[in-house]
Amino acid sequence: MAAAGAEAAAAEEEKRMAEGDPESGGDSEDEGDSDSSGDGEDEEKENEAEIQRLEEQLSINAFDYNCHLDLIKLLRQEGELVKLRRARQKMSELFPLTEEIWLDWLKDEIKMASEVSEREKVYELFERAVKDYICPEIWLEYAQYSIGGIGQEGGIEKVRSIFERALTAVGLHVTKGTALWEAYREFENAILETAQPAPGSVPSPEQQQMLCSQLERIHTLFRRQLGIPLLDMEASYAEYEEWSEDPIPETTIKNYKKALQQLEKCKPYEEALLGAETPKLAEYQAYIDFEMKAGDPARIQLIYERALAENCLVPDLWARYNQYLDRQLKVKELVLSAHDRAVRNCPWTVGLWIQYLLAMERHGVDHCIISDMFEKALNAGFIQATDYVEIWQAYLDYLRRRVDFTQDSSKELEELRSAFARAVEYLKQEVEERFSESGDPSCTIMQNWARVEARLCNNMQKARELWDNIMTKGNAKYANMWLEYYNLERAHGDTQHCRKALHRAVQCTSDYPEHVCEVLLTLERIEGTLEDWDAAVQKTENRLARVNEQRAKAAEKEAALARQEEEKAEQRKQSRAEKKASKKAKKNRIGEKRKADDDDEGEWGQEEEEEQPSKRHKGDGDGLLLEEEMELETGLFGRSGPEKPDHPTNQKEKPSTSRKDVPKVLHDSSKDNITVFVSNLSYNMTDPEVKLKELFESCGEVSQVRPVFSNKGTFRGYCYVEFKDEKSALQALGMDRKVVEGRPMFVSPCVDKNKNPDFKVFRYSTTLEKHKLFISGLPFSCTKEELEDICKAHGNVKDIRLVTNRAGKPKGLAYVEYENEAQASQAVLKMDGLTIKEHVIKVAISNPPLRKLPDKAEAGRASQFAVPRQIYGARGKGRTQLSMMPRALQRQSNPVAKAENGMVQNSPATSSERTEEPKKMSNADFAKMLLNK
């Protein structure tokens, strides 16, 4: 209370200073004060405008958690106590409040509570606060505040009652429970001091009895505390020894030692929580598993509550806690309170609502309350259409269990039928309009309705009407739907309707008609007449004949389409081959002309070429050697020699370089851990080695940059960056997608794909993420900042990623990550169909479709008949590798015979070709033949 008074005095002093009170040292005529006053007025106007904006935003979306927080913060800053109280009240109705929000609210209310009636309101506020989460600080504040009302009637007993409830709730808290025990003992010690008789006086028997009972109460508190594993137990034991005039009982010492042993077992889990980072889910789960093995319900409940206080938005944690309470403790108030807090924290999780409805039914809650809770669930904003089907089914199951079907008609039965009809209409109207699907394509709710009418109400007429409705919704082509109907008729109808249903099924079924035909024939074999049998046989034969005909036509059509695709592929292949042959012939003609000009004095002998190595051209048959020289000059990953001139005819030609002169710069796979692979760089980048070294030096010391060049000496857009240590390489991976010269640079680990063929680098999740949105249809001019301004109105935006192509150009797609699932689901409701720069966007929860993998059997067949690729060397066949032998004289390569059992069978033609050697021809013969051509 003294602290509260000090805060009030400080607030009054600040107010006086702001108003220019001369006693506080203010000078209203001072120029500096005038300026600060003007600034304060401007800030006050800005705050008022912001308050108005936040209130309007909440009127649109009342579930905007961050908007509530901002509004409360501003109102508290401005001192708008009435509006502040109203804002806190609205937020507490929608969400459980955190410990910090409750403590701020309680402290503000305590300052203003002076009358007895106002103190009662503060008590009510404390009662609401302790129900949201189990927080030791709130319980301690509650108990200390109650001490202020000790002078009222029954004040001492009320304080003791609050302390006992606090110990029950958080007295077992290993790290924070000690403070409550000590506060309780201090209170009882204060009562003991007031009960002491005056010095020199003899206490009356009543006073003596009161002193003894008070001493025993303090003894009991010490003994209870020492039997619980709490931090600083040794200090509490020492304090008890000092305080007690009598020796400590053996049972207390035994319990104390046992608690110490238990504390040693708990310490590793407490230390793990202390050193872990939020959200600490793994550490809490390990602690929960430990307590579950010990089996103490109070301690299990406490550790669950501690975990939920820090992870209140984790639905799975709430589900496990509620399941434990439902199956083990089964205390009505405790169970229902936990379920209520669960759905208030995670309203988008349908499983928690279903658990809540079942718990209320299990504990006999009034029907009106359960119905109201179901209506709240419908307005919770589920993120999938199937969630609404599940919550409706749970509620209909509850209504069905209320009906007494021994009566022909009852109020409960009519309510059940009305609820079935409303569920069907709700899925058709509300859900289908929002999700473009009802979530119930198989009409499971209508199927259950039909089963209830047939089995429990003996109303087959209504059941048949419902099944007719089911079949008209696109289910008549499925055999299993007809068989479900047939089984229902078989159990509760008659043979005539069974036969009628099967005849319709034979006519309509398209997925498994053989199965339906077999069931019809079985029925007629057992119960039908000869006429019925003949009719069934004729109908099934006709139907199966049509089905087989349709399947044959479909197969023929598919085969025709496959042939067309093969013909198109062959045409494309032939067209490419013709283009390639024409280009090759053109190059041959150019090369032949040059060689004819250079060969006036003699033939194309190899000896002359060796004497004149400087007269080689790209068209010469020895182009492979030139390409090898070029490769050695440029190196495999970078230039190891001088740059190739643009016009070699204008430069003095250089002698050929041998392979041994310039070694290839190969990548050392042993340095993969300190190397990153950089790709998607601009081909026009000048001096990539220098530029990339400067770029990556911020990550650590760069040992080497190896850019990769083409045969022409141009940069190929990727390189290897080697660091001095592994830590720098790992840090460099964080520069992935950094824009360099207008393109997103890709940085990935250096992995040998031959050793790790399945290795892929993709930094984003490909599964359902309920807190992340996928937005499509964005204008290409939309920036990240503009999208963030739109999205942050619906929650706290953690990250926005605009999807671009490899050139860095936007694709009109984006991913927006919110802080939790609730904000994401609200953003979907508000943003889907929004118009941005004349573009209507689509917004959905991020759930990328699975990639279709190629069929292994087809891949195996393709590889079995694939033509083996000719091996030309490390870089394939170069442009200058043109054969100068006429095609008419080229020997056909030996066909590869089929291998059987690992042995290659040689054909007779192959063996005869080996015995016959072609006639040797001179270079002059080749020249004459080419010129004659």
Side-chain angles (χ1 to χ4, degrees):
M1 296 300 293
E7 288 184 13
E12 183 66 25
E13 180 68 17
E14 288 177 0
K15 183 176 179 183
R16 289 168 57 193
M17 291 181 68
E19 294 174 353
D21 192 338
E23 293 182 5
S24 64
D27 189 355
S28 60
E29 296 179 1
D30 186 74
E31 184 178 355
D33 288 349
S34 176
D35 293 341
S36 62
S37 176
D39 295 340
E41 290 179 0
D42 293 339
E43 183 179 357
E44 185 176 351
K45 290 181 180 179
E46 291 178 1
N47 289 342
E48 288 178 357
E50 181 65 13
I51 289 171
Q52 185 177 359
R53 187 192 69 81
L54 292 172
E55 289 176 343
E56 292 176 356
Q57 181 65 30
L58 288 175
S59 65
I60 298 172
N61 179 16
F63 289 92
D64 192 333
Y65 189 87
N66 292 314
C67 193
H68 281 285
L69 292 180
D70 294 339
L71 179 61
I72 289 173
K73 182 179 179 181
L74 271 178
L75 291 174
R76 192 169 191 234
Q77 180 180 335
E78 291 297 309
E80 297 281 352
L81 299 181
V82 177
K83 290 184 177 180
L84 177 61
R85 182 180 294 168
R86 187 164 58 245
R88 284 167 167 165
Q89 182 67 29
K90 287 182 179 179
M91 185 177 183
S92 66
E93 291 172 358
L94 297 173
F95 304 101
L97 304 185
T98 62
E99 178 183 335
E100 293 77 12
I101 298 175
W102 272 119
L103 288 175
D104 288 341
W105 189 358
L106 290 166
K107 289 175 182 177
D108 290 343
E109 295 293 342
I110 288 172
K111 293 177 186 177
M112 297 182 290
S114 56
E115 302 295 332
V116 176
S117 59
E118 293 174 343
R119 288 185 63 87
E120 289 298 325
K121 291 181 179 179
V122 176
Y123 282 129
E124 294 175 3
L125 200 60
F126 268 114
E127 289 295 331
R128 290 174 54 192
V130 296
K131 289 179 181 178
D132 274 357
Y133 300 106
I134 292 184
C135 299
E137 287 80 2
I138 294 179
W139 275 110
L140 184 60
E141 191 74 22
Y142 189 10
Q144 290 176 343
Y145 178 73
S146 66
I147 295 175
I150 196 173
Q152 300 176 7
E153 183 179 355
I156 294 178
E157 294 303 321
K158 186 171 184 178
V159 173
R160 285 173 177 161
S161 173
I162 294 173
F163 266 118
E164 288 295 336
R165 288 173 58 201
L167 291 180
T168 302
V170 293
L172 299 178
H173 199 297
V174 176
T175 58
K176 298 182 180 179
T178 304
L180 269 170
W181 288 98
E182 291 178 350
Y184 196 0
R185 287 204 317 273
E186 288 176 5
F187 168 73
E188 294 295 351
N189 275 317
I191 298 296
L192 179 64
E193 291 295 329
T194 59
Q196 294 285 354
S201 63
V202 179
S204 63
E206 292 80 7
Q207 289 178 329
Q208 190 66 33
Q209 184 179 359
M210 180 179 172
L211 284 173
C212 291
S213 63
Q214 189 64 23
L215 284 171
E216 183 60 29
R217 188 174 282 113
I218 298 173
H219 274 289
T220 303
L221 282 176
F222 267 118
R223 293 166 186 167
R224 287 169 60 191
Q225 179 183 355
L226 292 176
I228 299 172
L230 300 171
L231 290 182
D232 299 329
M233 289 186 65
E234 296 84 355
S236 300
Y237 185 81
E239 182 182 351
Y240 187 28
E241 282 185 320
E242 182 181 354
W243 180 86
S244 177
E245 298 177 355
D246 301 326
I248 300 177
E250 288 295 328
T251 55
T252 303
I253 297 174
K254 183 178 180 181
N255 292 335
Y256 167 70
K257 291 181 178 179
K258 185 177 179 181
L260 273 178
Q261 294 176 355
Q262 182 69 15
L263 178 62
E264 291 300 320
K265 295 179 181 179
C266 294
K267 274 185 177 180
Y269 299 98
E270 293 291 345
E271 291 171 356
L273 288 174
L274 191 63
E277 297 181 358
T278 306
K280 308 179 184 179
L281 273 173
E283 290 76 15
Y284 271 119
Q285 189 58 53
Y287 207 164
I288 290 170
D289 294 339
F290 165 74
E291 294 292 359
M292 291 286 281
K293 290 180 181 178
D296 188 343
R299 297 191 63 82
I300 294 171
Q301 180 196 356
L302 180 62
I303 191 58
Y304 262 120
E305 291 287 352
R306 287 176 61 184
L308 289 167
E310 295 190 45
N311 300 277
C312 59
L313 299 178
V314 180
D316 291 343
L317 188 59
W318 281 108
R320 292 195 295 271
Y321 181 40
N322 290 336
Q323 186 181 74
Y324 170 77
L325 295 177
D326 288 334
R327 296 179 179 179
Q328 301 297 327
L329 296 188
K330 302 180 182 179
V331 179
K332 179 179 179 179
E333 292 76 13
L334 186 62
V335 169
L336 296 182
S337 172
H339 280 288
D340 183 68
R341 289 185 291 138
V343 297
R344 289 175 66 199
N345 275 285
C346 307
W348 63 89
T349 308
V350 67
L352 297 178
W353 287 100
I354 293 174
Q355 281 187 330
Y356 195 6
L357 294 177
L358 290 171
M360 286 194 291
E361 181 185 3
R362 200 175 289 122
H363 291 281
V365 177
D366 188 71
H367 172 64
C368 296
I369 298 176
I370 296 179
S371 298
D372 291 342
M373 191 57 60
F374 168 70
E375 295 298 332
K376 288 183 179 179
L378 286 182
N379 297 321
F382 300 132
I383 59 178
Q384 293 179 346
T386 53
D387 292 345
Y388 288 94
V389 179
E390 292 180 26
I391 193 66
W392 267 111
Q393 193 58 64
Y395 183 60
L396 292 169
D397 292 344
Y398 157 71
L399 294 179
R400 195 264 309 160
R401 289 189 286 267
R402 295 182 68 242
V403 179
D404 182 7
F405 289 100
T406 58
Q407 301 178 9
D408 293 338
S409 179
S410 64
K411 179 182 178 182
E412 289 80 7
L413 179 58
E414 294 304 318
E415 184 178 4
L416 174 61
R417 284 172 171 161
S418 175
F420 267 118
R422 183 190 168 199
V424 173
E425 189 66 21
Y426 186 91
L427 295 178
K428 180 180 178 182
Q429 298 292 335
E430 301 290 336
V431 178
E432 194 165 347
E433 180 180 350
R434 176 181 169 188
F435 295 97
S436 300
E437 59 166 326
S438 66
D440 190 17
S442 300
C443 301
T444 55
I445 288 181
M446 292 183 70
Q447 288 188 45
N448 292 332
W449 187 3
R451 294 187 185 102
V452 169
E453 293 289 354
R455 297 176 184 175
L456 301 177
C457 301
N458 298 318
N459 189 353
M460 275 303 299
Q461 183 61 34
K462 180 65 176 177
R464 293 182 184 114
E465 292 176 4
L466 291 169
W467 271 103
D468 284 340
N469 197 357
I470 292 171
M471 293 305 181
T472 59
K473 294 182 179 297
N475 293 301
K477 58 185 177 180
Y478 300 117
N480 67 315
M481 300 297 290
W482 284 108
L483 294 179
E484 282 286 339
Y485 178 32
Y486 165 74
N487 291 331
L488 192 67
E489 283 285 1
R490 193 78 172 142
H492 306 285
D494 51 54
T495 304
Q496 181 181 356
H497 283 90
C498 288
R499 181 177 292 112
K500 184 179 178 180
L502 289 177
H503 275 274
R504 290 176 59 193
V506 169
Q507 190 69 26
C508 300
T509 302
S510 60
D511 56 350
Y512 299 105
E514 294 88 352
H515 192 187
V516 176
C517 292
E518 183 181 352
V519 174
L520 175 58
L521 293 175
T522 302
L523 174 67
E524 300 301 357
R525 179 175 286 113
I526 296 173
E527 299 187 17
T529 63
L530 179 59
E531 290 78 8
D532 295 332
W533 172 261
D534 290 340
V537 170
Q538 183 179 359
K539 193 173 189 70
T540 54
E541 287 179 351
N542 293 338
R543 176 58 178 160
L544 292 179
R546 289 197 302 271
V547 168
N548 291 331
E549 184 181 351
Q550 291 172 358
R551 289 175 178 172
K553 289 182 179 180
E556 185 179 348
K557 185 177 180 181
E558 185 177 353
L561 291 175
R563 285 195 299 272
Q564 291 178 4
E565 290 296 328
E566 289 178 0
E567 291 174 0
K568 291 180 180 178
E570 188 63 29
Q571 290 175 0
R572 289 194 295 266
K573 184 177 179 181
Q574 186 176 357
S575 176
R576 287 195 297 267
E578 291 175 355
K579 290 181 180 178
K580 187 175 181 181
S582 64
K583 290 181 179 178
K584 189 174 182 180
K586 185 177 180 180
K587 291 180 180 178
N588 281 338
R589 288 195 297 269
I590 296 173
E592 291 162 8
K593 184 177 179 181
R594 290 178 179 174
K595 289 179 180 180
D597 293 339
D598 293 339
D599 200 25
D600 291 338
E601 297 179 358
E603 298 178 352
W604 297 351
Q606 187 174 355
E607 298 175 358
E608 186 177 339
E609 289 184 357
E610 290 176 355
E611 293 175 0
Q612 298 178 355
S614 62
K615 292 186 179 181
R616 301 177 192 267
H617 298 280
K618 279 192 174 182
D620 293 343
D622 205 24
L624 177 59
L625 180 58
L626 289 178
E627 287 229 323
E628 290 177 353
E629 292 173 0
M630 183 186 298
E631 180 178 343
L632 290 173
E633 288 176 1
T634 59
L636 186 59
F637 297 106
R639 301 180 181 179
S640 58
E643 294 185 358
K644 178 182 176 182
D646 293 336
H647 302 284
T649 56
N650 297 333
Q651 301 290 339
K652 184 177 180 180
E653 297 194 17
K654 299 177 182 178
S656 61
T657 308
S658 66
R659 188 180 296 271
K660 296 180 181 179
D661 293 341
V662 182
K664 291 184 179 180
V665 183
L666 298 176
H667 173 63
D668 187 358
S669 59
S670 63
K671 297 183 179 180
D672 283 350
N673 61 325
I674 59 173
T675 307
V676 295
F677 179 67
V678 184
S679 59
N680 202 44
L681 297 169
S682 174
Y683 288 0
N684 299 324
M685 179 181 288
T686 57
D687 295 328
E689 184 174 355
V690 177
K691 185 164 293 186
L692 291 173
K693 187 171 184 180
E694 294 176 354
L695 186 64
F696 281 97
E697 279 180 342
S698 60
C699 304
E701 185 178 354
V702 178
S703 177
Q704 185 182 20
V705 177
R706 297 192 296 278
V708 182
F709 295 90
S710 68
N711 297 335
K712 297 181 179 180
T714 58
F715 181 46
R716 297 184 63 181
Y718 59 90
C719 69
Y720 294 84
V721 180
E722 182 182 323
F723 292 90
K724 287 290 186 181
D725 52 49
E726 186 175 356
K727 182 179 179 181
S728 302
L730 293 174
Q731 188 174 351
L733 296 176
M735 299 183 68
D736 185 37
R737 310 283 170 167
K738 180 180 177 65
V739 178
V740 178
E741 295 190 1
R743 295 174 63 89
M745 174 180 66
F746 298 162
V747 184
S748 58
C750 190
V751 176
D752 187 353
K753 291 293 184 71
N754 294 326
K755 297 180 181 179
N756 300 276
D758 297 330
F759 177 81
K760 294 188 181 299
V761 179
F762 191 70
R763 59 186 294 187
Y764 304 109
S765 174
T766 57
T767 58
L768 174 66
E769 296 179 281
K770 295 184 178 181
H771 66 290
K772 186 179 290 186
L773 303 184
F774 173 67
I775 303 178
S776 59
L778 289 168
F780 292 162
S781 59
C782 181
T783 63
K784 182 177 180 180
E785 291 73 18
E786 291 173 343
L787 185 58
E788 184 176 7
D789 290 339
I790 297 171
C791 295
K792 70 181 181 182
H794 309 290
N796 186 17
V797 178
K798 294 180 65 177
D799 184 43
I800 291 181
R801 176 166 64 94
L802 294 178
V803 182
T804 61
N805 58 18
R806 296 180 69 88
K809 303 298 182 182
K811 300 175 68 174
L813 308 174
Y815 289 91
V816 180
E817 182 179 358
Y818 280 94
E819 195 170 57
N820 53 57
E821 298 176 19
Q823 296 176 2
S825 60
Q826 291 300 318
V828 171
L829 292 175
K830 301 299 180 182
M831 293 174 58
D832 189 29
L834 187 68
T835 301
I836 300 178
K837 296 182 180 179
E838 300 181 355
H839 285 69
V840 179
I841 65 171
K842 293 182 179 180
V843 184
I845 297 296
S846 176
N847 188 15
L850 296 176
R851 287 192 172 186
K852 294 183 179 180
L853 298 176
D855 190 3
K856 292 184 178 179
E858 294 180 3
R861 288 195 297 268
S863 62
Q864 181 181 356
F865 298 106
V867 178
R869 181 173 177 266
Q870 188 173 354
I871 299 175
Y872 293 102
R875 296 183 295 111
K877 183 175 181 180
R879 288 187 177 182
T880 59
Q881 296 182 32
L882 300 177
S883 175
M884 299 308 298
M885 182 182 292
R887 295 182 182 177
L889 298 180
Q890 288 181 354
R891 291 181 55 191
Q892 298 293 329
S893 61
N894 294 335
V896 180
K898 183 178 180 181
E900 295 181 4
N901 298 328
M903 301 295 292
V904 178
Q905 307 295 327
N906 294 328
S907 62
T910 306
S911 60
S912 64
E913 285 178 2
R914 291 179 178 175
T915 58
E916 297 179 4
E917 292 187 3
K919 181 182 177 181
K920 294 184 179 180
M921 301 180 69
S922 65
N923 289 331
D925 294 333
F926 280 121
K928 291 176 182 178
M929 294 187 68
L930 287 172
L931 294 175
N932 291 333
K933 289 281 184 180

